[in-house]
Amino acid sequence: MSPPSAVAVVTDSTAYLPPGLAERHGLTVVPLQLAVGGTVRDEAEVSTAEAARALKEWHPITTSRPAPERFARTYETAASSGARHIVSVHLSSALSGTVEAARLAARDAPVPVTVIDSATIGLGLGFAALSAASVALSGGTPEAAAAAATRRAELTRSLIYVDTLEHLRRGGRIGAAATLLGSALMMKPLLHIADGRIAPLEKVRTSSRALARLEELAVAEAGDRKVDLGVQHLSAASRAESLAARLRERVPHVEDVYVGEVGPVIGAHVGPGMLGVVVAPQL
């Protein structure tokens, strides 16, 4: 079904939107791929539990962008359903070649395609895609939908706790020097997304102090603004639910709070025990 404005919005599976939310907003989700044990599958075909088990046992997991042909088919389907323009919003180009694949496919698409590099990942990307979809569903122009995605991504802050930086180091998503820094004296690292990359933010001596600090940083980032919050985790559901409950109490103008587990593409790089908070001011 085509949106009223005939603007279709596409994102990728690393947005990790709650079940049903993409469908309700008319969003099309293109899956990234990963290989566990040498077999390449779409992200949706690999359970988070399977990926977490492999990571805990230090079995290699590799991830890859969707092929340009996958985007080409998606754009053709949108056009045949009545879309006259497509806004395609994806994870940071500093972390994946997904944006490049989308741009390659856009060159020969049957309708104009605007590809947005969100410079973020996870629900930071998800909130940006939802903003574009809301504009499209309300009859907005392609330019307005693209601008909404870009602005929401720019305003959004992603804060991350990981038990170890080793998974990020192995995947080439953080430098060896930062890994050594985080390992010194068994420090627990807090990270954030900066300039499209995962970067060190603070070091805390224990996991309990790190999680308390993660909460404080999220509350401070939200301030008095109207915000949506995302609490994401990998094999840490009880921690995530507890953190979300405290944030609901402490953030004065919170609108929606989404709690969920990240999929295996992010999970392969952050490892079990990861806990993240996404603070997304409303436009």
Side-chain angles (χ1 to χ4, degrees), residues 216-283:
E216 293 296 331
L217 289 168
V219 171
E221 185 65 31
D224 291 327
R225 296 178 292 178
K226 286 185 178 181
V227 298
D228 294 319
L229 297 176
V231 179
Q232 299 184 284
H233 70 92
L234 183 62
S235 299
S238 60
R239 276 181 173 178
E241 291 290 353
S242 296
L243 176 57
R246 292 193 299 273
L247 290 173
R248 284 188 184 99
E249 293 178 356
R250 298 190 60 192
V251 176
H253 300 296
V254 63
E255 298 289 319
D256 291 322
V257 180
Y258 300 130
V259 183
E261 194 163 33
V262 299
V265 166
I266 287 184
H269 297 295
V270 296
M274 169 267 182
L275 197 63
V277 180
V278 178
V279 181
Q282 293 198 340
L283 298 178

Side-chain angles (χ1 to χ4, degrees), residues 1 3 66 113 120 126:
M1 183 174 66
V113 180
T120 188

Side-chain angles (χ1 to χ4, degrees), residues 11-114:
T11 189
D12 62 70
S13 59
T14 66
Y16 298 130
L17 293 165
L21 196 59
E23 291 81 358
R24 289 199 298 273
H25 285 77
L27 271 167
T28 299
V29 179
V30 176
L32 270 71
Q33 296 180 311
L34 70 163
V36 182
T39 302
V40 178
R41 290 178 281 172
D42 285 349
E43 182 170 24
E45 297 172 348
V46 180
S47 71
T48 304
E50 178 184 351
R53 281 195 304 272
L55 291 167
K56 286 176 180 176
E57 296 168 4
W58 296 99
H59 294 319
I61 296 179
T62 57
T63 61
S64 62
R65 70 181 192 180
E69 291 77 15
R70 192 71 171 265
F71 280 111
R73 291 196 299 272
T74 299
Y75 298 157
E76 287 167 4
T77 298
S80 66
S81 298
R84 295 196 297 272
H85 197 114
I86 298 167
V87 176
S88 206
V89 189
H90 300 291
L91 78 159
S92 172
S93 61
L95 299 174
S96 167
T98 300
V99 164
E100 179 187 4
R103 286 174 175 159
L104 287 171
R107 294 176 184 174
D108 298 318
V111 296
V113 180
T114 301

